[in-house]
Amino acid sequence: MSAYGVINRPQRTSYLPTTLWDSPRVEPDLGTPSFVTIHHIDRAAVERVQTGLFNYLHSTFANEVDKGLTYPQEDISDPTAFGAYFFGGDVLVGIAGKGDPPAIKSELEARGVREIEQSLDVARNGRTWEECIAGFYYVKPNYPGRSSHICNAGFMVPLSQRGSGYGRILAKSYLHYAPALGYKASVFNLVYNNNVASVKLWEALNFTKAGLIPKAGRLKRKDGEGEEYVDAIVFYKSFEET
């Protein structure tokens, strides 16, 4: 629960189309550029049809929280707590491409977004979730009621997939999906300033530094020797800018 009480996510009766994104990664066995597909998923369908996916998302996120470097939670090992937090919003999953890119159904030229028709199972292409998930994120209102048009998001790239440019793909897809979900702007409340890659990414995508919160996080030291207080940047971006 936030300082404002319970913040309810919008109810979805349909899910947004899957999209195709170019990846800077090169397939080592083919020597060709790869791609990522982004899928808007439903928790009920995931638990009913996609065996093991919820558990993989949970374990990946819980391991990141345990490191104590990027998220404010200290423990999210309980699957119910993870489900309430992460699936309390819309969830998008990125699947690293394998084989030929899928056919493009439509293209939004102004934003360079390509929509496709492809299920998670087809994108998975016989691989384990560990092998194919490039990353995932949630999108949810940052505030309730009269300010619920401003969203927040939380991103995760599995450790084994880092260094492939997937974080930037997820971030760019967020700039498509968040306004498509009806939001007018985005606020990231706590981007710890020792998370250099994240800070550089949002700066590169023209997010504004709306504020600095001194000693906002009591984080574990990267050398494993105790904890330290770290400042956090508040990032903002309007989706209505021309």
Side-chain angles (χ1 to χ4, degrees):
M1 183 180 296
S2 77
Y4 303 97
V6 176
I7 300 178
N8 296 318
R9 61 164 281 191
Q11 295 300 310
R12 303 293 175 204
T13 56
S14 61
Y15 286 78
L16 296 175
T18 299
T19 52
L20 174 68
W21 303 79
D22 292 330
S23 169
R25 181 174 179 174
V26 173
E27 294 295 337
D29 54 339
L30 300 175
T32 57
S34 60
F35 58 92
V36 173
T37 55
I38 304 291
H39 304 254
H40 186 199
I41 66 172
D42 171 67
R43 178 180 178 179
V46 164
E47 293 181 322
R48 184 176 65 253
V49 180
Q50 306 297 338
T51 304
L53 177 55
F54 179 88
N55 291 339
Y56 176 68
L57 300 182
H58 174 217
S59 63
T60 302
F61 186 73
N63 288 338
E64 183 67 21
V65 168
D66 285 344
K67 293 177 185 177
L69 298 172
T70 54
Y71 278 86
Q73 294 94 331
E74 294 186 273
D75 176 56
I76 199 159
S77 57
D78 178 16
T80 301
F82 168 73
Y85 174 72
F86 217 92
F87 281 84
D90 291 278
V91 176
L92 289 301
V93 172
I95 303 292
K98 180 181 180 182
D100 295 329
I104 298 171
K105 178 183 176 182
S106 63
E107 187 165 3
L108 308 176
E109 294 185 7
R111 288 178 283 173
V113 176
R114 294 166 293 174
E115 295 182 348
I116 61 173
E117 289 185 349
Q118 187 181 66
S119 68
L120 271 176
D121 278 334
V122 171
R124 187 182 183 185
N125 200 2
R127 296 170 290 174
T128 65
W129 296 119
E130 292 84 348
E131 290 172 324
C132 71
I133 289 185
F136 52 98
Y137 61 96
Y138 67 75
V139 185
K140 63 176 75 172
N142 196 57
Y143 312 103
R146 299 183 188 279
S147 294
S148 59
H149 57 284
I150 302 173
C151 66
N152 176 262
F155 297 79
M156 179 60 52
V157 175
L159 186 60
S160 62
Q161 302 283 20
R162 295 179 186 177
S164 298
Y166 292 149
R168 183 173 178 84
I169 292 173
L170 295 180
K172 289 176 67 176
S173 77
Y174 171 65
L175 299 182
H176 162 67
Y177 280 104
L181 289 166
Y183 295 104
K184 304 297 185 185
S186 171
V187 166
F188 298 144
N189 304 302
L190 294 170
V191 180
Y192 297 122
N193 64 4
N194 63 344
N195 189 349
V196 177
S198 183
V199 171
K200 288 184 176 180
L201 176 58
W202 301 123
E203 288 178 336
L205 292 175
N206 297 317
F207 279 68
T208 299
K209 289 182 178 179
L212 179 72
I213 308 174
K215 297 183 178 181
R218 176 177 48 81
L219 306 184
K220 293 181 180 180
R221 295 181 183 273
K222 292 184 179 181
D223 61 8
E225 299 295 326
E227 299 177 333
E228 61 182 344
Y229 283 96
V230 175
D231 297 348
I233 300 167
V234 180
F235 277 107
Y236 170 84
K237 185 174 180 63
S238 171
F239 298 138
E240 297 184 312
E241 295 173 354
T242 57

